[in-house]
Amino acid sequence: MSAPVVSATMGAMNPLIDKLAALMGDEYKKLTGVRRQASFLNDELSTMKALLEKLELMDELDPLAKNWRDHVREMSYDMENCVDDFMRDIGGADAKMGFIKKTAKRLKTLRKRHRIADRMEELKALALQANERRMRYKIDDCTNSTNHVVPIDTRMLAIYKHTAGLVGIDGPKKELVSWLTATREKLKVVAIVGFGGLGKTTLAKQVYDTIGGQFSCKIFLSVSQRPDLSSLLGGLQLKLEMKEELTHAHEVQDIVGRLREYLTHKRYLIVVDDLWDQSTWNIMSCIFPEVGNGSRVIVTTRMEDVAIWACGNDHECVYRMEPLKEQDSRMLFCNRVFGSGNVCPLQLKEVSAEILKKCGGLPLAIITIASLLASRQPRLKDEWESIRNSLGTKFAKNPTLEEMRSILNLSYMHLPLHLRPCLLYLGMYPEDEMVMRHDLVLQWIAEGLVNCSHGSDLEDIGKSYFNELINRSLIQPAGTSESGEVEGCRVHDIMLDLIVSKCVDQNFINVAYNCEDVAKMHACEYKVRRLSLKSSTNDATSGIIDTSMSQVRSFAQFGESKYTLPLSLFKYLRVLVFIFPFNRSTTVDLTAIGQLFQLRYLKVSAFPCFIDLPTEIRGLVHLETLEISGNASSIPSDIVCLPRLSRLILPYFTCPPQGIANIKSLRALHCMNISLEDINGLGELTSLRELRLSTEVVAGEVDALVSLIGKLHGLKYLEVRALSSQHHCGPMYSLSNPPLHIEELNLFGWTLKRVPTWIGDLHFLRILVLWVDNLSNDEVHVVGKLPCLVHLGLWVFAEGGAAICMGFFQALKVLRLFSHDDVAHMQFRTGLMPSLRQLTLEVKNGWGGAVPQGMEHLLALEHISVFARDGVNHRDVESAFRSVFDVHPRRPSLEIIPPPSLSSINVVKLSLN
């Protein structure tokens, strides 16, 4: 049976009707008065729901219809809260209670029943009033619209764009590269300026990727319209791996000074993306020292005056982006709608040309409309003409933000209804934020936005929603996992403006940057349902979030805020998120979360902040996700009693409580130093799909881990890291029943004498990380035949590393090899590793200057990283590899970087955990 979902325009109407139906069931048959009221409300609300569904399909509403819809939406939230309170309070007395306690509880429950009954009488009156207003103002007459939504695009079109798929960018890229690589030792700043949606960020990223290998330090930094400079520059410190500086400098002036000192000793390339004003540049420019070593800075902005200012009034360093030419526009459009190399059918050529003309050569407009058309099957001329007629007429000649928003709004109105609230939920996040797919999907689920049917997995359905939004170009893919899968997304700032405006219109999300924003919310006509606090450099006012906001269902705080949230009063919270910058040290007080009965999702990313958790949380019976990153003194021991907990991510240096293996609902577990008893117990968690452990080795632990792997037949992701020095893992060879559907196997720090033969049976394996003493040709062939393997990380400590070149590796895209053998012994042969895009090698002290042979046979190669050990001259390494790459058919980029160590990798793991 389908799970009821929350809607942006209908509010909680769907889950409310479902809960009213439950109140009419046998479980509540003794409560005749409540059942009668629930039955009446169910009938009344069902008729309202039918009308709301029609109104949801309409873009423009009559003011009376909009007012009626908004009031019913808010009423549904209040009614659901009331029913939730009732269902929680009317619980049977504990059978273990004594007579006196039972009697006292029954008397208390009786009083609650009267209060709930009185409240439901009030809600009944509200429902009657709403239906009376519907009839009086003839709201049903407003639904005579022919609009309808497109079906779900089940083809899941290719959404990952590579350099070869970009259109009209080669000329601008070459020109900018020539500007930046011209002989000039002093610091040079180049600005790209143009209208929103022209592709400034895409162009800057292409230039960045093309020349980045020539610099010892490179960073791509997004600024946004309302930057919190302390957080922004602290994030820059983190990207530069200035870990020792993170806890020492908190003020902007101090951070700028430390960054400037750090960059003084580097030849750097830094992209400052989406700069909005001169004052921000005045501060940021102070971190770029004039060291005369050929460093470069690229700025993107919509503002002509900001571009000129950033370039020091040198107009020759300002690149003004132009719209795509007609031929490039047509190629981009056809590639997206019909696939690369395919042409537009004859019957659609005229209407497609008219659509393209209205897009004005703006890539964002073209790709958005093309994605909308690609989602509509079959391709009917009258539908294309309808979309053409919906586009504005002035945009081609004089593009404005309002016209651009109208194009994006057209794609929004053609979204299937179940995707609309999912898109709007992105309004919770700050501008230019990379939103992780997994976080977003779990938040959608917690808020009731994902519809489960026919026993399907909710997370898989949510992932499908996410991909649909990318297919339609409403969100942009950002970041890829080691397996090459898209991990997150970003929202173009014009699209985010549209999302936020719709959130305001439908009272879906409220966003606050400062005290004035919060004050406006207190005076709003409607209650705040979802609240996002986004830090701002300009807000210095302290305060407490008013208790009138106690109806909030989702709360997210990004960065430090002067406001205090009275958590104990926010009993309807489903989603609670705190994201703090890495350069801040504060205390996050979560001691009141034990009272948040409805809480489903809790994430705190606050390293190196201190996190205070309550001693007991067993009351959080609906909690599904608990993800903590920071310094937590201890984890509540009764966490093992939570009946629905499916995802548990614990702080890196925090040991889990005893009995963690009792959480039978767990699907994902990340923790460290788990006890031997619990390792043995984890084998009973048949729902476990993801297990990531970091552990110190104790007696019997290796045997227990091997036994555990053999029991978890449904496991898809396994990572077991040794925290100290490498440990030999002999029992791993004896594993007779590995999880055959596993997709990731990471045994970092555990040294095997050879590659276990059972790995050849893992036909779904996509990611493999191993440490081995020796590597033979036979073992290479075993691994090389794995049909789905796309990422291989291999440490070979004795001999045989060069044998990796003998494997076929049909699907392999990423190879990271750290071998005792000299790279000169490696020889890549024709036809092997046909899909390899990224190659990482190690050059050790004593390197003779030779490079691997046959790299020209790696026809898909895009990038190579070379870790140069101490004593190896970086310039010699770069020169040797550059001479090979200059004649490679794809001219891959090159990066020379210091070697990894166990401690540094674990620090990175800590920051991502």
Side-chain angles (χ1 to χ4, degrees):
M1 183 179 67
S2 297
V5 295
V6 175
S7 163
T9 52
M10 294 197 297
M13 186 64 76
N14 288 320
L16 170 60
I17 291 175
D18 190 68
K19 291 173 182 178
L20 288 172
L23 285 178
M24 295 157 55
D26 291 340
E27 186 179 351
Y28 299 93
K29 61 184 178 182
K30 294 182 179 180
L31 306 175
T32 55
V34 171
R35 293 183 77 194
R36 186 169 58 252
Q37 301 284 35
S39 177
F40 176 85
L41 284 174
N42 186 74
D43 293 341
E44 289 289 300
L45 295 177
S46 295
T47 61
M48 294 186 202
K49 175 190 171 185
L51 178 56
L52 286 172
E53 286 174 340
K54 294 181 180 180
L55 295 178
E56 191 166 18
L57 301 178
M58 301 176 64
D59 187 11
E60 296 293 333
L61 284 182
D62 177 274
L64 288 175
K66 182 180 182 301
N67 182 268
W68 181 85
R69 180 203 67 184
D70 293 347
H71 275 88
V72 173
R73 178 194 64 223
E74 298 302 308
M75 181 183 70
S76 73
Y77 284 124
D78 292 336
M79 284 185 173
E80 189 194 27
N81 290 340
C82 176
V83 173
D84 284 340
D85 288 340
F86 175 82
M87 288 179 156
R88 180 188 180 188
D89 291 339
I90 306 299
D94 192 326
K96 297 181 180 179
M97 286 184 181
F99 175 76
I100 295 177
K101 285 188 176 181
K102 283 185 178 180
T103 303
K105 177 160 184 157
R106 284 171 180 160
L107 288 172
K108 184 179 180 181
T109 300
L110 187 61
R111 289 194 294 271
K112 288 182 177 178
R113 287 179 183 175
H114 285 302
R115 286 200 299 270
I116 293 293
D118 291 343
R119 180 62 177 144
M120 291 190 75
E121 277 288 350
E122 295 174 10
L123 296 179
K124 175 182 175 181
L126 289 175
L128 286 171
Q129 291 173 16
N131 252 343
E132 289 171 3
R133 291 176 65 234
R134 170 186 177 180
M135 304 304 293
R136 187 185 320 135
Y137 296 119
K138 300 179 180 179
I139 303 300
D140 296 67
D141 294 344
C142 300
T143 61
N144 296 323
S145 171
T146 58
N147 287 357
H148 61 280
V149 296
V150 298
I152 298 174
D153 181 2
T154 56
R155 297 174 302 153
M156 301 300 281
L157 298 173
I159 58 176
Y160 313 128
K161 309 244 183 340
H162 304 297
T163 305
L166 298 174
V167 172
I169 205 169
D170 287 342
K173 182 174 73 171
K174 286 180 181 178
E175 186 170 355
L176 277 171
V177 167
S178 67
W179 288 10
L180 292 162
T181 55
T183 304
R184 176 178 174 180
E185 291 303 314
K186 65 180 294 189
L187 173 67
K188 186 172 186 177
V189 179
V190 169
I192 305 172
V193 64
F195 185 77
L198 268 175
K200 299 182 295 295
T201 300
T202 301
L203 175 58
K205 185 66 167 64
Q206 286 298 305
V207 173
Y208 175 84
D209 289 340
T210 300
I211 66 174
Q214 303 174 23
F215 298 83
S216 61
C217 172
K218 60 175 186 175
I219 295 292
F220 199 102
L221 191 66
S222 294
V223 178
S224 80
Q225 193 168 358
R226 299 189 186 206
D228 179 349
L229 286 174
S230 177
S231 298
L232 181 70
L233 297 177
L236 179 57
Q237 285 182 300
L238 185 67
K239 289 183 178 182
L240 293 171
E241 297 187 351
M242 299 170 59
K243 300 180 181 68
E244 294 182 0
E245 313 293 334
L246 286 175
T247 57
H248 298 307
H250 302 309
E251 300 302 323
V252 170
Q253 184 176 352
D254 296 332
I255 301 174
V256 166
R258 293 178 184 273
L259 283 168
R260 185 179 181 87
E261 171 62 25
Y262 179 87
L263 292 175
T264 298
H265 310 288
K266 304 287 184 182
R267 183 171 186 259
Y268 55 86
L269 170 66
I270 297 180
V271 175
V272 181
D273 185 43
D274 199 19
L275 184 67
W276 281 80
D277 55 71
Q278 296 179 12
S279 60
T280 301
W281 175 252
N282 289 340
I283 296 173
M284 295 202 63
S285 61
C286 295
I287 71 175
F288 306 130
E290 283 272 12
V291 289
N293 62 0
S295 292
R296 299 291 185 260
V297 176
I298 303 173
V299 173
T300 73
T301 179
R302 294 186 195 178
M303 312 299 174
E304 178 92 7
D305 61 326
V306 173
I308 295 171
W309 183 261
C311 295
N313 292 314
D314 185 351
H315 289 255
E316 294 185 357
C317 290
V318 177
Y319 185 87
R320 293 167 178 83
M321 285 204 73
E322 298 292 335
L324 292 177
K325 296 178 181 178
E326 181 181 349
Q327 181 179 353
D328 290 331
S329 295
R330 186 167 57 252
M331 183 182 299
L332 178 62
F333 179 85
C334 290
N335 286 350
R336 183 64 191 91
V337 179
F338 307 109
S340 180
N342 294 319
V343 297
C344 179
L346 184 61
Q347 72 273 18
L348 297 176
K349 276 193 173 182
E350 183 178 350
V351 65
S352 65
E354 293 169 349
I355 290 174
L356 276 174
K357 185 176 181 181
K358 292 191 175 188
C359 288
L362 264 69
L364 179 63
I366 295 169
I367 200 69
T368 302
I369 291 299
S371 297
L372 168 60
L373 294 170
S375 70
R376 302 178 74 84
Q377 293 292 334
R379 299 188 181 103
L380 302 177
K381 183 178 180 181
D382 58 344
E383 290 191 356
W384 282 44
E385 289 173 343
S386 175
I387 290 175
R388 175 203 60 193
N389 296 336
S390 300
L391 297 173
T393 57
K394 301 177 182 178
F395 189 68
K397 295 182 179 179
N398 183 28
T400 66
L401 283 178
E402 209 50 46
E403 292 284 349
M404 183 71 234
R405 285 181 62 181
S406 72
I407 289 179
L408 300 181
N409 184 63
L410 183 64
S411 287
Y412 173 82
M413 292 308 302
H414 282 82
L415 271 177
L417 295 182
H418 64 277
L419 291 181
R420 291 188 187 180
C422 295
L423 178 64
L424 295 189
Y425 199 83
L426 283 154
M428 295 288 290
Y429 286 88
E431 184 180 348
D432 292 325
E433 181 88 356
M434 178 175 169
V435 183
M436 300 306 294
R437 184 196 67 204
H438 207 280
D439 291 340
L440 187 62
V441 167
L442 292 175
Q443 288 161 18
W444 286 345
I445 292 172
E447 266 276 12
L449 306 181
V450 178
N451 186 6
C452 177
S453 59
H454 308 297
S456 302
D457 184 88
L458 275 176
E459 291 185 30
D460 287 342
I461 297 172
K463 180 179 176 181
S464 177
Y465 286 9
F466 178 89
N467 284 338
E468 285 187 69
L469 292 176
I470 287 182
N471 284 347
R472 295 166 180 271
S473 299
L474 296 174
I475 59 178
Q476 301 168 345
T480 56
S481 66
E482 292 179 337
S483 65
E485 191 175 29
V486 171
E487 285 189 308
C489 70
R490 283 192 170 88
V491 184
H492 195 283
D493 49 5
I494 301 178
M495 174 58 76
L496 186 60
D497 287 343
L498 176 68
I499 287 173
V500 171
S501 69
K502 287 192 173 293
C503 285
V504 171
D505 179 64
Q506 300 174 18
N507 194 36
F508 191 69
I509 292 172
N510 291 81
V511 178
Y513 293 93
N514 49 45
C515 58
E516 289 83 5
D517 293 337
V518 175
K520 290 177 184 176
M521 292 180 197
H522 294 159
C524 280
E525 177 184 2
Y526 300 121
K527 298 173 183 176
V528 176
R529 302 297 177 182
R530 296 166 189 86
L531 176 60
S532 178
L533 285 184
K534 302 173 184 178
S535 62
S536 172
T537 305
N538 301 323
D539 189 23
T541 307
S542 300
I544 298 177
I545 300 295
D546 196 282
T547 55
S548 65
M549 296 189 188
S550 61
Q551 305 287 330
V552 168
R553 300 162 69 95
S554 282
F555 176 82
Q557 179 178 327
F558 298 90
E560 285 190 288
S561 174
K562 305 298 181 180
Y563 280 89
T564 303
L565 183 72
L567 282 177
S568 60
L569 301 177
F570 284 63
K571 62 180 181 178
Y572 301 113
L573 269 176
R574 268 83 167 162
V575 175
L576 182 58
V577 177
F578 292 95
I579 307 294
F580 289 93
F582 280 86
N583 65 324
R584 293 294 182 175
S585 181
T586 185
T587 298
V588 184
D589 184 4
L590 298 178
T591 53
I593 63 169
Q595 303 174 51
L596 305 181
F597 176 73
Q598 294 291 343
L599 193 64
R600 278 122 166 108
Y601 179 99
L602 171 62
K603 177 174 182 176
V604 182
S605 179
F607 181 82
C609 300
F610 294 94
I611 303 170
D612 285 342
L613 294 170
T615 56
E616 292 187 3
I617 59 171
R618 67 175 64 236
L620 304 182
V621 295
H622 296 291
L623 189 64
E624 298 166 346
T625 298
L626 177 58
E627 186 169 342
I628 306 291
S629 173
N631 295 319
S633 55
S634 63
I635 300 297
S637 59
D638 63 349
I639 195 174
V640 301
C641 301
L642 299 181
R644 298 187 183 181
L645 190 64
S646 63
R647 182 173 177 84
L648 178 59
I649 316 296
L650 295 178
Y652 194 74
F653 293 116
T654 304
C655 294
Q658 289 293 317
I660 200 168
N662 295 326
I663 312 177
K664 305 301 182 185
S665 55
L666 268 186
R667 292 168 55 93
L669 172 63
H670 299 198
C671 65
M672 66 177 291
N673 285 342
I674 190 170
S675 70
L676 180 58
E677 179 182 353
D678 278 330
I679 289 178
N680 290 322
L682 287 178
E684 300 177 14
L685 303 185
T686 56
S687 297
L688 203 61
R689 297 294 179 267
E690 179 180 353
L691 178 61
R692 301 187 188 274
L693 303 176
S694 298
T695 181
E696 299 282 357
V697 179
V698 298
E701 189 169 285
V702 175
D703 290 330
L705 284 169
V706 173
S707 174
L708 171 63
I709 295 171
K711 293 177 181 177
L712 297 175
H713 301 298
L715 204 61
K716 286 191 173 182
Y717 310 98
L718 174 65
E719 178 179 343
V720 183
R721 287 177 171 253
L723 287 177
S724 51
S725 58
Q726 62 193 67
H727 297 277
H728 283 81
C729 192
M732 193 64 72
Y733 308 112
S734 62
L735 184 62
S736 58
N737 53 344
L740 296 180
H741 289 82
I742 196 166
E743 296 180 16
E744 177 183 349
L745 177 62
N746 186 334
L747 299 177
F748 187 91
W750 299 87
T751 305
L752 308 173
K753 289 187 179 297
R754 62 183 187 277
V755 177
T757 56
W758 52 263
I759 284 182
D761 298 327
L762 306 180
H763 298 299
F764 296 93
L765 193 66
R766 296 173 59 82
I767 301 172
L768 177 62
V769 177
L770 289 179
W771 287 23
V772 295
D773 280 334
N774 298 282
L775 187 66
S776 69
N777 289 349
D778 290 341
E779 291 163 1
V780 169
H781 289 310
V782 168
V783 179
K785 290 180 180 179
L786 292 173
C788 297
L789 189 67
V790 295
H791 180 106
L792 176 61
L794 200 58
W795 277 254
V796 184
F797 295 101
E799 296 181 351
I804 199 70
C805 300
M806 305 296 292
F808 181 43
F809 295 103
Q810 181 177 11
L812 194 67
K813 295 180 180 179
V814 180
L815 173 61
R816 303 181 73 233
L817 178 65
F818 298 89
S819 172
H820 175 79
D821 292 348
D822 194 310
V823 294
H825 297 155
M826 300 181 67
Q827 182 174 358
F828 296 97
R829 299 186 178 183
T830 305
L832 302 183
M833 303 186 190
S835 303
L836 190 69
R837 292 177 182 164
Q838 297 180 35
L839 175 64
T840 299
L841 299 173
E842 181 182 34
V843 173
K844 297 190 173 186
N845 196 7
W847 172 63
V851 299
Q853 301 177 51
M855 280 195 288
E856 67 275 9
H857 300 316
L858 302 175
L859 298 180
L861 191 63
E862 296 176 351
H863 179 78
I864 183 169
S865 300
V866 181
F867 287 94
R869 290 286 183 183
D870 293 339
V872 177
N873 188 299
H874 286 207
R875 290 187 179 273
D876 290 343
V877 176
E878 181 177 353
S879 176
F881 278 89
R882 184 72 63 190
S883 64
V884 175
F885 287 177
D886 284 345
V887 296
H888 190 282
R890 293 184 66 93
R891 298 179 65 86
S893 58
L894 173 66
E895 185 177 18
I896 312 297
I897 46 182
S901 64
L902 180 64
S903 59
S904 67
I905 291 176
N906 279 334
V907 168
V908 173
K909 182 69 178 176
L910 177 150
S911 67
L912 297 175
N913 189 22

